[in-house]
Coordinates of all heavy atoms in Angstrom, one line a residue:
E49 N -14.8 15.3 0.4 CA -15.0 16.0 -0.9 C -14.7 15.0 -2.1 O -13.7 14.3 -2.0 CB -14.1 17.2 -1.0 CG -14.3 18.0 -2.2 CD -13.5 19.3 -2.2 OE1 -13.0 19.7 -1.1 OE2 -13.4 20.0 -3.3
Q50 N -15.6 15.0 -3.0 CA -15.4 14.2 -4.2 C -14.3 14.9 -5.1 O -13.9 16.1 -4.9 CB -16.6 14.2 -5.1 CG -17.7 13.4 -4.4 CD -19.0 13.3 -5.3 OE1 -19.0 13.9 -6.4 NE2 -20.0 12.7 -4.8
A51 N -13.7 14.1 -6.0 CA -12.7 14.7 -6.9 C -13.3 15.8 -7.8 O -14.4 15.6 -8.3 CB -12.1 13.6 -7.8
P52 N -12.7 16.9 -7.8 CA -13.2 18.0 -8.7 C -13.1 17.7 -10.2 O -12.2 16.9 -10.6 CB -12.4 19.2 -8.3 CG -11.2 18.7 -7.6 CD -11.5 17.3 -7.1
F53 N -13.9 18.2 -11.0 CA -13.8 18.0 -12.4 C -12.6 18.8 -12.9 O -12.2 19.8 -12.3 CB -15.1 18.6 -13.1 CG -16.3 17.9 -12.7 CD1 -17.3 18.5 -12.0 CD2 -16.5 16.5 -13.1 CE1 -18.5 17.8 -11.7 CE2 -17.7 15.9 -12.7 CZ -18.7 16.5 -12.0
G54 N -12.0 18.3 -13.9 CA -10.9 19.0 -14.5 C -9.5 18.6 -14.0 O -8.5 19.1 -14.4
M55 N -9.5 17.7 -13.0 CA -8.2 17.2 -12.5 C -7.6 16.2 -13.5 O -8.4 15.6 -14.3 CB -8.4 16.4 -11.2 CG -8.8 17.2 -10.0 SD -9.1 16.2 -8.5 CE -7.4 15.7 -8.1
N56 N -6.3 16.1 -13.6 CA -5.7 15.1 -14.5 C -6.0 13.7 -14.0 O -6.3 13.5 -12.8 CB -4.2 15.4 -14.7 CG -3.4 15.2 -13.4 OD1 -3.5 14.2 -12.8 ND2 -2.6 16.2 -13.1
D57 N -5.8 12.7 -14.9 CA -6.2 11.4 -14.6 C -5.4 10.8 -13.4 O -6.0 10.1 -12.5 CB -5.9 10.5 -15.8 CG -6.9 10.7 -16.9 OD1 -7.9 11.3 -16.7 OD2 -6.5 10.3 -18.1
R58 N -4.2 11.2 -13.2 CA -3.3 10.7 -12.1 C -3.9 11.3 -10.8 O -4.0 10.5 -9.8 CB -1.9 11.2 -12.3 CG -1.0 10.6 -11.3 CD 0.4 11.2 -11.6 NE 1.3 10.1 -11.6 CZ 2.6 10.1 -12.0 NH1 3.0 11.2 -12.6 NH2 3.4 9.1 -11.9
A59 N -4.2 12.5 -10.8 CA -4.8 13.2 -9.5 C -6.1 12.6 -9.2 O -6.4 12.3 -8.0 CB -4.9 14.7 -9.7
V60 N -7.0 12.3 -10.2 CA -8.3 11.7 -9.9 C -8.1 10.3 -9.4 O -8.7 9.9 -8.4 CB -9.1 11.7 -11.2 CG1 -10.4 10.8 -11.0 CG2 -9.5 13.1 -11.6
A61 N -7.2 9.5 -9.9 CA -6.9 8.2 -9.4 C -6.4 8.2 -8.0 O -6.9 7.4 -7.2 CB -5.9 7.5 -10.3
A62 N -5.5 9.1 -7.7 CA -5.0 9.3 -6.3 C -6.2 9.6 -5.3 O -6.3 9.1 -4.2 CB -3.9 10.3 -6.2
H63 N -7.0 10.5 -5.8 CA -8.2 10.9 -4.9 C -9.1 9.8 -4.7 O -9.5 9.5 -3.5 CB -8.9 12.1 -5.6 CG -9.9 12.7 -4.8 ND1 -9.6 13.7 -3.9 CD2 -11.3 12.5 -4.6 CE1 -10.7 14.1 -3.2 NE2 -11.7 13.4 -3.7
Y64 N -9.4 9.0 -5.7 CA -10.3 7.8 -5.5 C -9.6 6.7 -4.7 O -10.3 6.0 -4.0 CB -10.9 7.4 -6.8 CG -12.0 8.3 -7.3 CD1 -11.9 9.1 -8.3 CD2 -13.2 8.4 -6.5 CE1 -12.9 10.0 -8.7 CE2 -14.2 9.2 -6.9 CZ -14.0 10.0 -8.0 OH -15.0 10.9 -8.3
E65 N -8.3 6.6 -4.7 CA -7.6 5.7 -3.8 C -7.9 6.1 -2.4 O -8.1 5.2 -1.5 CB -6.1 5.6 -4.1 CG -5.8 4.9 -5.4 CD -4.3 5.0 -5.7 OE1 -3.6 5.8 -5.1 OE2 -3.9 4.3 -6.6
K66 N -7.8 7.4 -2.1 CA -8.1 7.8 -0.7 C -9.5 7.6 -0.3 O -9.8 7.2 0.8 CB -7.8 9.3 -0.6 CG -6.3 9.6 -0.7 CD -6.0 11.1 -0.7 CE -4.5 11.4 -0.9 NZ -4.0 11.2 -2.2
I67 N -10.5 7.8 -1.3 CA -11.9 7.5 -1.0 C -12.0 6.0 -0.7 O -12.8 5.6 0.2 CB -12.8 8.0 -2.1 CG1 -12.8 9.5 -2.2 CG2 -14.2 7.4 -2.0 CD1 -13.5 10.1 -3.4
A68 N -11.3 5.1 -1.4 CA -11.4 3.7 -1.1 C -10.9 3.4 0.3 O -11.5 2.6 1.1 CB -10.6 2.9 -2.1
I69 N -9.9 4.1 0.8 CA -9.4 3.9 2.2 C -10.4 4.4 3.1 O -10.7 3.8 4.2 CB -8.0 4.7 2.4 CG1 -6.9 4.0 1.5 CG2 -7.7 4.7 3.9 CD1 -6.6 2.6 1.9
I70 N -11.0 5.5 2.9 CA -12.1 6.1 3.7 C -13.2 5.1 3.8 O -13.7 4.8 4.9 CB -12.6 7.4 3.2 CG1 -11.5 8.5 3.3 CG2 -13.9 7.8 3.9 CD1 -11.8 9.7 2.4
K71 N -13.7 4.5 2.7 CA -14.8 3.5 2.7 C -14.4 2.3 3.5 O -15.2 1.7 4.3 CB -15.2 3.2 1.3 CG -15.9 4.4 0.7 CD -16.4 4.1 -0.7 CE -17.2 5.3 -1.2 NZ -17.9 5.0 -2.5
L72 N -13.1 1.8 3.3 CA -12.7 0.7 4.0 C -12.7 0.9 5.5 O -13.2 0.1 6.3 CB -11.2 0.3 3.6 CG -10.5 -0.8 4.4 CD1 -11.3 -2.1 4.2 CD2 -9.1 -0.9 4.0
I73 N -12.2 2.0 6.0 CA -12.1 2.2 7.4 C -13.5 2.5 8.0 O -13.8 2.1 9.1 CB -11.2 3.4 7.8 CG1 -10.8 3.2 9.3 CG2 -11.7 4.7 7.6 CD1 -9.5 3.9 9.7
C74 N -14.4 3.1 7.2 CA -15.8 3.2 7.7 C -16.4 1.8 7.9 O -17.1 1.6 9.0 CB -16.7 3.9 6.6 SG -16.4 5.7 6.6
V75 N -16.2 0.9 7.1 CA -16.7 -0.5 7.3 C -16.0 -1.1 8.5 O -16.7 -1.6 9.4 CB -16.4 -1.4 6.1 CG1 -16.6 -2.8 6.4 CG2 -17.2 -0.9 4.9
R76 N -14.7 -0.9 8.7 CA -14.0 -1.5 9.8 C -14.4 -0.9 11.2 O -14.4 -1.6 12.2 CB -12.5 -1.4 9.6 CG -12.1 -2.3 8.5 CD -10.7 -2.7 8.6 NE -10.3 -3.6 7.5 CZ -9.1 -3.8 7.1 NH1 -8.1 -3.1 7.5 NH2 -8.9 -4.7 6.1
I77 N -14.7 0.4 11.2 CA -15.1 1.0 12.5 C -16.6 1.2 12.6 O -17.1 1.8 13.6 CB -14.4 2.3 12.7 CG1 -14.8 3.4 11.7 CG2 -12.9 2.1 12.7 CD1 -14.2 4.8 11.9
N78 N -17.4 0.7 11.7 CA -18.8 0.8 11.7 C -19.3 2.2 11.7 O -20.1 2.6 12.5 CB -19.4 0.0 12.8 CG -20.9 -0.3 12.6 OD1 -21.3 -0.4 11.5 ND2 -21.6 -0.3 13.7
A79 N -18.7 3.1 10.9 CA -19.1 4.5 10.8 C -19.8 4.7 9.5 O -19.6 4.0 8.5 CB -17.8 5.4 10.8

Side-chain angles (χ1 to χ4, degrees):
E49 185 173 348
Q50 293 179 1
F53 297 114
M55 289 177 75
N56 67 49
D57 291 343
R58 185 182 228 167
V60 169
H63 191 84
Y64 283 110
E65 287 175 347
K66 290 176 183 78
I67 291 172
I69 293 294
I70 293 165
K71 290 182 176 188
L72 173 66
I73 202 158
C74 283
V75 169
R76 291 201 174 157
I77 67 173
N78 197 31

